Amino acid sequence: MAKRALITGITGQDGSYLAELLLDLGYEVLGMVRRTSTVTFERIAHQQHRITLVPGDLLDEVSLIDILRTHRPNEVYNLAAQSFVQTSFAQPVLTGEITALGVTRMLDAIRIVDPTIRFYQASSSEMFGKVVEVPQRETTPFHPRSPYGVAKVYGHWITINYRESYGLHATSGILFNHESPRRGLEFVTRKISHTVAQIKLGIASELRLGNLDAQRDWGFAGDYVEAMHLMLQQDEPGNYVVSTDETHSVREFCELAFDRVGLDWSQHVVVDEKFFRPAEVDLLVGDSTLARSTLGWKPKVHFDDLVKMMVDADMELLSGNRRG
């Protein structure tokens, strides 16, 4: 019989790639969506006929219990969150409700309905924040630098707590930055690729950014969802860092992106202090040795190819819009 997986946050970047992967592996895929007028299905539109959408909300535990009782998934991937760092400073309580307490509600629903359900929690490299060692691994202490990072630390520890307290197969994937053409426009990588395409097409003239020296470990979201799935196939639950183990600066991303369309980045990029974070995270770079050795996982898309993929996709998107 086909395995059944529930994905929260299915309309997001990671949710759409994970849904594709699981469908290709023969899963029945359930996608939890909130009943709001603003839900956008564009990332999963091409797969929507193969996905069962179920109404639910991480703010409402009864809705989660109802989904689990009705649909009986074998695996739950909790990807839903208020996931934009900048917004978390403006909406810290909401971020905590969804990104922290939402995890507890889902874990509690699993404990009540069926403790054999395997659970994946989307943890984040933002938990490391003000890093105490480079690179960061599973044992690196956390020092989050945003309400989002703090909420993710709670979600991470409550996952471990339910694993240890109730024997749940609850696993936490500590994913470093992962991007794609499906990344939201509010994230710096997509902001760069999209604006580069606009400038090349004569729609815009400048790209305003914050800290160009911020360094990140950037991978491709399509590679990272494979690690999520592999984690839930292990006999024992655990915590895994997922990363490329390389670091690149925002400036480097800009250089490659503008170069892809034959432009000089320095002619168009304007540093704007409005985009600086109240507390910056300086150097995030992962050590994914455990994931590579235990899961047999490794990233396939290199940084340079990721930048090209994103710029090419936005060129195609915007050229199509102009013709249309």
Side-chain angles (χ1 to χ4, degrees):
M1 208 170 89
K3 276 189 181 174
R4 191 174 295 139
L6 171 67
I7 303 173
T8 73
I10 195 165
T11 59
Q13 169 187 257
D14 293 9
S16 67
Y17 280 110
L18 180 61
E20 274 173 29
L21 172 69
L22 296 180
L23 287 167
D24 287 345
L25 291 171
Y27 276 69
E28 287 180 34
V29 175
L30 308 164
M32 189 177 91
V33 290
R34 285 175 298 156
R35 284 198 188 279
T36 68
S37 56
T38 54
V39 172
T40 168
F41 296 106
E42 65 190 60
R43 291 188 183 96
I44 58 167
H46 61 296
Q47 301 280 10
Q48 208 169 323
H49 62 289
R50 301 171 65 196
I51 297 166
T52 303
L53 297 177
V54 294
D57 197 317
L58 287 176
L59 299 179
D60 180 12
E61 189 172 330
V62 172
S63 72
L64 306 181
I65 290 170
D66 188 47
I67 289 171
L68 299 183
R69 280 196 177 136
T70 304
H71 298 281
R72 298 287 169 177
N74 308 100
E75 299 171 359
V76 171
Y77 295 86
N78 185 43
L79 311 186
Q82 191 303 99
S83 63
F84 188 46
V85 172
Q86 205 76 32
T87 299
S88 78
F89 285 101
Q91 298 183 323
V93 175
L94 179 69
T95 300
E97 280 286 357
I98 299 167
T99 308
L101 291 178
V103 186
T104 317
R105 294 186 189 101
M106 182 61 86
L107 284 164
D108 218 35
I110 289 171
R111 178 184 67 79
I112 291 164
V113 175
D114 179 3
T116 67
I117 293 171
R118 296 189 171 197
F119 176 78
Y120 172 83
Q121 167 58 14
S123 289
S124 166
S125 58
E126 288 285 337
M127 301 190 305
F128 296 120
K130 190 177 174 67
V131 298
V132 296
E133 64 178 359
V134 178
Q136 295 90 50
R137 48 185 69 88
E138 291 79 9
T139 53
T140 302
F142 301 131
H143 188 146
R145 300 272 276 170
S146 65
Y148 169 74
V150 172
K152 279 292 186 186
V153 170
Y154 177 99
H156 177 78
W157 279 110
I158 202 69
T159 299
I160 294 170
N161 182 260
Y162 269 66
R163 179 200 308 165
E164 294 176 350
S165 301
Y166 304 112
L168 299 187
H169 193 296
T171 284
S172 178
I174 306 170
L175 271 55
F176 279 67
N177 292 63
H178 45 288
E179 318 298 316
S180 75
R182 299 179 194 173
R183 194 56 145 150
L185 288 166
E186 68 272 25
F187 292 89
V188 68
T189 51
R190 182 71 197 290
K191 179 180 175 180
I192 294 169
S193 67
H194 194 259
T195 309
V196 162
Q198 287 183 312
I199 291 170
K200 180 63 178 176
L201 294 167
I203 305 166
S205 59
E206 65 176 25
L207 168 60
R208 303 186 81 84
L209 293 170
N211 182 10
L212 298 181
D213 297 315
Q215 292 183 299
R216 294 289 182 272
D217 183 328
W218 277 304
F220 172 52
D223 289 342
Y224 284 34
V225 298
E226 291 180 9
M228 298 177 188
H229 174 255
L230 288 168
M231 286 178 213
L232 293 201
Q233 311 320 304
Q234 304 306 303
D235 291 338
E236 297 298 324
N239 307 324
Y240 297 91
V241 162
V242 179
S243 57
T244 67
D245 304 359
E246 293 179 10
T247 186
H248 300 276
S249 67
V250 174
R251 181 181 279 103
E252 205 177 332
F253 198 106
C254 284
E255 287 172 4
L256 283 168
F258 278 97
D259 189 56
R260 182 65 175 167
V261 296
L263 295 175
D264 177 356
W265 75 279
S266 62
Q267 303 295 307
H268 301 281
V269 174
V270 178
V271 174
D272 187 339
E273 291 190 1
K274 181 175 79 175
F275 296 111
F276 280 74
R277 293 183 185 180
E280 181 56 270
V281 173
D282 301 311
L283 178 57
L284 287 175
V285 56
D287 175 357
S288 58
T289 303
L290 184 65
R292 291 172 194 241
S293 60
T294 306
L295 307 176
W297 175 86
K298 65 174 191 286
K300 302 186 189 88
V301 177
H302 189 263
F303 175 72
D304 296 22
D305 296 322
L306 174 65
V307 178
K308 289 173 189 170
M309 177 200 301
M310 292 180 68
V311 172
D312 291 353
D314 275 325
M315 284 295 293
E316 190 178 335
L317 176 73
L318 290 170
S319 299
N321 286 350
R322 293 182 88 199
R323 281 197 301 272

